[in-house]
């Protein structure tokens, strides 16, 4: 607000689509930028790791070491290594060049869901369907220890910025905060309506955010152990999120085919981006925050320019006598998160842009969250009670679908083992004088 009593609104330019990569043959599951912004790594259910070069004239690298869907990928802080994990129960470390050299880590006994480097690049943390979180030494290529208190599949695990803490989320509807040195669980945050697909630390290390199957995004303070913000802006399961390096913005991806940008300082939805045809599975800001990327079930990888000019040099400033939508509580939240309050940002225009043949729509929003516990106004028109009921049903159906899929995989393995056993038995009976030493043992299932 100015001295004359008039409110100042700072309009930020809309994000713009810069690049669109196509090369995967199935859904893109994870995306990450190298520290120097020269490369982007992606993983997919097509079992492939791709390293894309930001310069158009340079070719992409295709790594095919995994034997099943690749679920997560990340560059090391230096950019010299890429870590990936897979449903084949392994973790791999790649050198991102034409030689495609890799080292395999084996310790998990089920699908590995996520992989994350520590801030110094010396350690890896992984999360798995074997209900464990495991920590590895990168350069010694050695498994160090497990964190074992989850009672269901672990979806995600992340180091804090100082690498002293680990956060993990599980299908057991808990988000656990761990002390890396003592290996003890410090606190458990409980999700009642669904479970968190993805969790991450705020750049300040004082807060965490969770992307949930109940279509919500929540922000907790790990010092007070209280929820700071709750966003109900998606109409589908939220799959992934990424903090802007400044800590002022949060990027989210959802099954509702949208990517959204939340303003954490104002406590409101800032932009909605429509570009993918189908669920958006992953998002990531670059190390500087100048760019962000998204990957979807449509096999596409999109790279966007953020256009967040923190200095305000390119921002248009307009004055109005209308009252601001901001309340005092978002400002208090910003202080707790560890960032200053920078004034209201209220883009109210609707703009669209396109690149190549991909239809892109960017929608700006300008309604602030009224309190830390009250979500944004839902973009749908359904009654709140009916919406909550449907969300709960969808969450239960998602769990049921995953369970059935898992049982089908187990049944297929059992059938294969039985077929192998019968074949071996038939071969042994066909011999005139069976020799027991020639029988092929069948591993117990």
């Amino acid at each position: 607000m100015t001295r004359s009593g008039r409110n100042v609104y700072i309009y930020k330019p809309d994000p713009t689509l810069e690049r669109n990569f196509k090369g995967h043959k199935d859904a893109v599951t994870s995306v990450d930028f190298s520290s120097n912004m020269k490369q982007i790594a992606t993983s997919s259910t097509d079992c492939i790791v791709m390293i894309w070069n930001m310069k158009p004239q340079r070719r992409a690298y295709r790594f095919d070491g995994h034997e099943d869907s690749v679920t997560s990928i990340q560059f090391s802080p230096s950019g010299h290594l890429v870590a990936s994990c897979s449903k084949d129960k392994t973790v791999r470390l790649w050198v991102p060049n034409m030689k495609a050299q890799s080292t395999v880590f084996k310790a998990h006994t089920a699908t590995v869901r996520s992989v994350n480097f520590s801030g110094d690049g010396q350690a890896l943390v992984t999360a798995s369907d074997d209900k464990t979180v495991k920590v590895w030494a990168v350069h010694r290529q050695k498994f160090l220890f497990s964190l074992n208190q989850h009672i269901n599949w672990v979806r995600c695990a992340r180091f804090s910025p100082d690498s002293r803490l680990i956060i993990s989320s599980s299908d057991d509807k808990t988000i656990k905060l761990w002390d890396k040195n003592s290996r003890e669980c410090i606190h458990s945050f409980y999700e009642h309506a669904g479970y968190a697909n993805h969790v991450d630390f705020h750049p300040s290390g004082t807060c965490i955010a969770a992307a949930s199957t109940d279509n919500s995004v929540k922000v907790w303070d790990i010092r007070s152990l209280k929820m700071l913000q709750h966003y109900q802006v998606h109409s589908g399961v939220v799959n992934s999120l990424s903090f802007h390096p400044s800590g002022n913005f949060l990027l989210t991806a959802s099954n509702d085919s949208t990517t959204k940008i939340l303003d954490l300082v104002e406590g409101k939805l800032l932009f909605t981006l429509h570009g993918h045809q189908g669920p958006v599975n992953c998002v990531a800001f670059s190390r500087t925050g100048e760019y962000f990327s998204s990957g979807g079930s449509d096999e596409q990888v999109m790279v966007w320019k953020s256009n967040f000019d923190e200095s305000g040099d390119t921002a248009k400033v307009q004055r109005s006598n209308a009252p601001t939508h901001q309340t005092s509580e978002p400002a208090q939240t910003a202080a707790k998160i560890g960032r200053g309050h920078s004034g209201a940002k209220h883009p109210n225009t609707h703009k669209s842009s396109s690149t190549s043949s991909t239809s892109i729509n960017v929608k700006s929003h300008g309604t602030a969250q009224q309190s830390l516990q009250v979500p944004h106004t839902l973009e749908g028109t359904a009654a709140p009670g009916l919406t909550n009921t449907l969300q709960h049903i969808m969450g239960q159906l998602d769990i049921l679908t995953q369970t059935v899929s898992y049982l089908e995989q187990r049944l297929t393995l059992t059938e294969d083992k039985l077929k192998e056993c019968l074949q071996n038995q038939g071969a042994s009976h066909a011999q005139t004088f069976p020799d027991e030493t020639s029988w092929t043992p069948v591993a117990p299932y």
Side-chain angles (χ1 to χ4, degrees), residues 338-355:
R339 291 293 179 268
H341 185 241
S342 58
K345 305 172 185 65
H346 291 269
N348 290 301
T349 59
H350 183 279
K351 303 175 183 178
S352 64
S353 60
S354 62
T355 300

Side-chain angles (χ1 to χ4, degrees), residues 91-213:
V91 178
R92 282 181 178 264
L93 280 181
W94 307 83
V95 179
N97 57 28
M98 292 181 62
K99 295 182 180 179
Q101 299 168 315
S102 69
T103 302
V104 182
F105 292 1
K106 294 182 179 180
H108 284 293
T109 58
T111 295
V112 189
R113 295 283 176 183
S114 81
V115 63
N116 178 243
F117 280 97
S118 60
D120 59 7
Q122 299 298 311
L124 276 175
V125 62
T126 55
S128 171
D129 285 1
D130 63 12
K131 307 176 187 176
T132 69
V133 174
K134 296 187 185 297
V135 178
W136 315 70
V138 173
H139 297 296
R140 286 188 290 162
Q141 300 177 8
K142 181 182 178 182
F143 164 67
L144 297 178
F145 59 86
S146 292
L147 304 173
N148 298 305
Q149 292 189 26
H150 282 295
I151 59 174
N152 208 332
W153 298 351
V154 189
R155 294 277 170 178
C156 185
R158 290 288 186 271
F159 280 111
S160 61
D162 61 7
S163 303
R164 294 166 57 187
L165 301 173
I166 294 172
I167 195 76
S168 62
S169 65
S170 167
D171 286 17
D172 63 13
K173 296 188 176 182
T174 68
I175 297 170
K176 293 187 181 293
L177 183 65
W178 309 83
D179 185 297
K180 181 192 167 199
N181 294 328
S182 68
R183 307 179 190 179
E184 295 293 328
C185 180
I186 301 171
H187 183 73
S188 292
F189 300 92
Y190 291 92
E191 289 273 16
H192 300 289
Y195 58 83
N197 276 321
H198 190 104
V199 288
D200 205 357
F201 279 93
H202 185 273
S204 68
T206 61
C207 303
I208 60 168
S212 179
T213 58

Side-chain angles (χ1 to χ4, degrees), residues 291-304:
Y291 294 90
F292 63 89
S293 183
S294 59
S297 295
D298 58 2
E299 307 170 8
Q300 295 191 77
V301 179
M302 296 183 177
V303 180
W304 308 74

